C-alpha cells in the first residue's frame, strides 16, 4: 500500500510544497497531508484506506455532499456530449437563469472559471464603468489572488495598500485602499478623503478567510448607502457564501430583508457543484460594459464549460429549502457540541457563526472576533493539536484555524455523532497545547 507520506514525497518532487494550493500542505497544523482518493456523501477516503467525516466540503462546493447522484448523472450526460465546444451552448443560459431566479439583482451574468477571475473582472468592470481608479477593501477579506487585491492593511484610519505577497509590487496595490472590517468611521473617512476617485468598495458577504467574521448589524447596508451617496459601486463577493448561507446567499439573509442590492456580485464554489466555475453578475447597465457589448475586456477559453455548467445547474436545482434546513440543523448541532467540549476542557474560545458557516477562535471570549487584528491575535497554537486529534478520530477539518467549517445535506445523524464523539479528546489536546518558541 502506498502511504500518504510516500505520496507527499513524490508530490513535493514535482510541485512546490507538494501541493497546488498552499493550505493543503498542512503548514499551519504540521504533519503529513492526507491524500484523498475518493469521496461520497459526507465522507472522504485517503490513499491508506482511512475514512473521514468531511468538514472541508471541497472548501464549500459540496453543498449536497460528495458524489450526489443527480450531479454525477448530469456530469456524465454532459461528458457524453463532449468536454467543451469553444462556442456558446444552451446550458450556459440555463445556469444563468437559475442564478437570477434566486438573486434577482443578478440581472446579467458572465461565467468564468474561478473566484479569483470573478473578483478580478468585477474590479476591472467597476473601474471601467465609473472611470475611477481606487478600490476599497477590508483587511482580512480574501478576494482571490489577483495582484491588486493582495494588499495588507497599514496603520492609521486608511492606508494605501502594501503588497501582501512577494511578486506583487507597490505600484500594483497602490490603487487599493485597505481599512479595518466592520469600521464605519474608517469607511466614512476614506470617502471624505478620496470619494471622487473611488470606483468601488469590495466586501465578502461574510468574511470567512480570517475565520468566519460576521458583519455587524447594518454594516453591509451602510456600505451600500455610502457607495450610492458617492457614486461608487458596491461589489458583494459571495464566492464563499453564495447559495450556501441561504438559497440566495448572504444577500438573501440580509439585503433582501433590508431592501438593498449591490451593483455587482461574484459567485463561486456552490455555483459549480465541485467543478471549476464562478461568475460575476449585477445590474444590466453595468454588466453591459463588458465586451462584446462594451469596452471592458474579458474572455476565457473555459468560461461556461458545458460539464461545469451541468454540475452547477444540477446542484442548484437540488438545493431545496429542505436541504438548507438540514444543513443549518447539522451545523448548529456540531457548533453547539464544539462549544460544550471546549468549555468542559476549560479552553477559552468563541464560535464565529453566520448561518451554517462557522469557525473556531481560541482565547477570544473577552472581545470576540470582529476584524482581522482580533482574528490574528487569537491563540492559534492550540489548533494544530486539536486538528490532529480530530483527524485521528476520522474527522477531516480545514487544516487552518482561519478557515470555515462546511457541512452538507449528506451529513446524517451518524456523521454528526462521529464528530461529536471526537470533540472532547480534541478539546483536551487544545487545552494542553503550549505556544512554540
Amino acid at each position: 500500500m502506498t502511504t500518504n507520506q510516500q505520496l507527499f514525497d513524490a508530490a513535493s518532487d514535482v510541485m512546490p510544497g507538494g501541493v497546488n494550493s498552499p493550505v493543503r500542505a498542512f503548514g499551519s497544523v504540521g504533519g503529513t497531508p492526507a491524500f484523498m482518493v475518493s469521496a461520497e456523501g459526507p465522507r472522504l477516503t485517503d490513499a491508506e484506506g482511512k475514512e473521514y467525516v468531511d468538514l472541508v466540503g471541497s472548501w464549500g462546493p459540496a453543498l449536497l455532499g460528495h458524489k450526489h447522484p443527480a450531479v454525477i448523472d448530469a456530469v456524465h450526460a454532459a461528458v457524453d456530449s463532449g468536454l467543451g465546444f469553444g462556442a456558446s451552448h444552451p446550458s450556459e443560459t440555463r445556469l444563468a437563469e437559475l442564478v437570477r431566479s434566486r438573486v434577482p439583482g443578478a440581472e446579467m451574468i458572465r461565467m468564468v472559471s474561478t473566484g479569483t477571475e470573478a473578483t478580478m473582472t468585477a474590479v476591472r468592470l467597476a473601474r471601467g464603468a465609473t472611470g475611477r481608479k481606487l478600490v476599497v477593501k477590508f483587511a482580512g477579506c480574501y478576494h482571490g489572488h489577483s495582484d491588486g487585491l493582495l494588499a495588507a492593511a497599514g496603520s492609521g484610519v486608511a492606508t494605501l495598500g502594501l503588497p501582501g505577497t512577494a511578486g506583487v509590487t507597490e505600484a500594483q496595490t497602490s490603487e487599493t485602499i485597505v481599512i479595518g472590517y466592520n469600521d464605519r468611521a474608517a469607511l466614512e473617512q476614506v470617502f471624505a478623503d478620496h470619494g471622487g476617485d473611488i470606483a468601488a468598495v469590495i466586501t465578502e458577504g461574510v468574511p470567512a478567510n480570517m475565520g468566519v467574521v460576521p458583519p455587524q448589524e447594518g454594516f453591509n447596508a451602510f456600505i451600500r448607502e455610502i457607495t450610492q451617496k458617492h457614486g461608487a459601486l458596491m461589489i458583494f463577493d459571495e464566492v464563499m457564501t453564495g447559495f450556501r448561507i441561504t438559497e440566495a446567499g448572504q444577500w438573501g439573509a440580509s439585503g433582501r430583508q433590508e431592501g438593498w442590492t449591490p451593483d455587482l456580485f461574484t459567485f463561486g464554489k456552490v455555483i459549480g457543484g465541485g467543478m471549476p466555475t464562478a461568475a460575476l453578475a449585477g445590474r444590466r447597465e453595468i454588466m453591459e460594459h463588458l465586451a462584446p457589448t462594451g469596452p471592458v475586456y474579458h474572455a476565457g477559453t473555459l468560461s461556461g464549460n458545458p460539464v461545469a455548467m451541468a454540475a452547477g445547474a444540477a446542484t442548484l436545482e437540488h438545493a431545496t429549502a429542505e436541504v438548507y434546513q438540514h444543513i443549518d440543523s447539522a451545523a448548529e448541532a456540531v457548533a453547539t457540541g464544539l462549544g460544550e467540549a471546549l468549555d468542559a476542557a476549560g479552553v477559552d474560545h468563541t464560535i464565529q457563526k453566520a448561518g451554517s458557516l462557522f469557525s473556531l477562535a481560541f482565547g477570544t471570549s473577552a472581545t470576540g472576533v470582529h476584524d482581522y487584528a482580533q482574528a490574528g491575535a487569537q491563540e492559534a497554537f492550540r489548533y494544530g493539536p486539536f486538528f490532529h486529534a480530530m483527524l485521528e478520530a476520522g474527522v477531516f477539518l480545514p487544516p487552518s484555524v482561519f478557515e470555515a467549517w462546511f457541512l452538507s445535506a449528506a451529513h446524517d445523524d451518524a456523521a454528526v455523532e462521529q464528530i461529536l464523539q471526537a470533540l472532547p479528546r480534541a478539546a483536551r489536546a487544545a487545552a494542553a497545547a503550549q505556544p512554540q518558541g
Side-chain angles (χ1 to χ4, degrees):
M1 177 182 67
T2 304
T3 67
N4 287 317
Q5 185 63 58
Q6 288 170 326
L7 289 169
F8 188 47
D9 290 343
S12 299
D13 187 51
V14 292
M15 294 182 287
V19 295
N20 284 311
S21 190
V23 73
R24 299 176 193 172
F26 281 26
S28 69
V29 294
T32 301
F35 275 62
M36 302 304 177
V37 296
S38 66
E40 186 167 1
R43 299 180 185 275
L44 299 168
T45 302
D46 73 11
E48 298 177 1
K50 183 170 182 178
E51 192 175 80
Y52 306 87
V53 176
D54 182 23
L55 288 172
V56 176
S58 196
W59 300 100
L63 182 76
L64 304 178
H66 295 289
K67 204 177 173 182
H68 188 278
V71 178
I72 296 299
D73 288 348
V75 167
H76 284 169
V79 168
D80 287 343
S81 297
L83 296 180
F85 309 126
S88 298
H89 54 91
S91 59
E92 296 172 297
T93 305
R94 176 187 174 205
L95 181 54
E97 288 174 344
L98 285 168
V99 169
R100 187 168 64 182
S101 71
R102 289 170 171 247
V103 184
E107 295 174 357
M108 300 194 85
I109 295 103
R110 170 63 58 89
M111 297 297 175
V112 298
S113 296
T114 69
T116 290
E117 185 184 359
T119 55
M120 175 188 73
T121 308
V123 167
R124 181 186 302 162
L125 177 57
R127 286 177 168 139
T130 63
R132 300 175 178 181
K133 64 180 183 179
L134 297 180
V135 171
V136 179
K137 75 174 291 280
F138 298 101
C141 283
Y142 179 69
H143 304 291
H145 59 85
S146 59
D147 288 352
L149 295 175
L150 280 177
S155 59
V157 173
T159 305
L160 289 175
L162 298 176
T165 177
V168 176
T169 68
E170 290 187 23
Q172 289 170 305
T173 57
S174 64
E175 293 178 345
T176 303
I177 297 175
V178 185
I179 61 176
Y181 188 65
N182 276 321
D183 191 337
R184 295 190 187 203
L187 190 56
E188 287 180 324
Q189 188 62 55
V190 162
F191 273 99
D193 294 342
H194 305 285
D197 291 323
I198 295 174
V201 176
I202 184 169
T203 186
E204 289 186 84
V206 174
N209 283 277
M210 50 178 162
V212 175
V213 179
Q216 292 179 341
E217 185 175 355
F219 184 65
N220 284 331
F222 178 70
I223 297 172
R224 173 69 292 190
E225 177 186 345
I226 199 168
T227 50
Q228 286 181 321
K229 178 180 177 181
H230 290 272
L233 303 187
M234 178 182 182
I235 304 172
F236 206 50
D237 181 351
E238 293 229 48
V239 168
M240 186 82 79
T241 57
F243 315 115
R244 173 163 279 279
I245 285 186
T246 72
E247 77 285 350
Q250 177 60 20
W251 175 82
S254 56
R256 182 159 56 190
Q257 287 80 4
E258 296 168 357
W260 56 266
T261 301
D263 299 288
L264 293 172
F265 293 89
T266 59
F267 300 117
K269 301 191 183 292
V270 170
I271 195 179
M275 298 293 288
T277 295
L280 63 148
R283 290 196 285 124
R284 180 177 298 271
E285 62 267 31
I286 297 172
M287 292 296 293
E288 287 184 336
H289 281 79
L290 282 174
T293 54
V296 178
Y297 191 71
H298 166 267
T301 299
L302 296 178
S303 294
N305 173 268
V307 181
M309 296 296 96
T315 297
L316 290 186
E317 286 171 345
H318 287 81
T320 62
E322 292 75 19
V323 161
Y324 291 102
Q325 290 167 5
H326 177 87
I327 296 172
D328 286 347
S329 177
E332 182 62 31
V334 173
T336 298
L338 173 61
E340 290 173 349
L342 291 168
D343 285 341
V347 180
D348 185 86
H349 70 282
T350 55
I351 308 296
Q352 300 287 121
K353 199 167 186 295
S356 64
L357 281 182
F358 64 94
S359 65
L360 168 62
F362 291 106
T364 56
S365 65
T367 61
V369 179
H370 305 291
D371 57 29
Y372 189 44
Q374 290 174 331
Q378 70 173 285
E379 296 174 349
F381 65 88
R382 298 191 186 279
Y383 190 72
F386 179 88
F387 170 87
H388 280 287
M390 295 295 285
L391 195 68
E392 289 169 11
V395 179
F396 188 63
L397 298 181
S400 167
V401 74
F402 299 108
E403 300 285 355
W405 298 22
F406 296 97
L407 282 93
S408 76
H411 280 76
D412 54 15
D413 291 345
V416 170
E417 183 61 26
Q418 184 174 341
I419 297 166
L420 296 179
Q421 290 295 321
L423 285 170
R425 180 171 176 269
R428 291 192 294 271
Q434 297 295 322
Q436 300 299 309

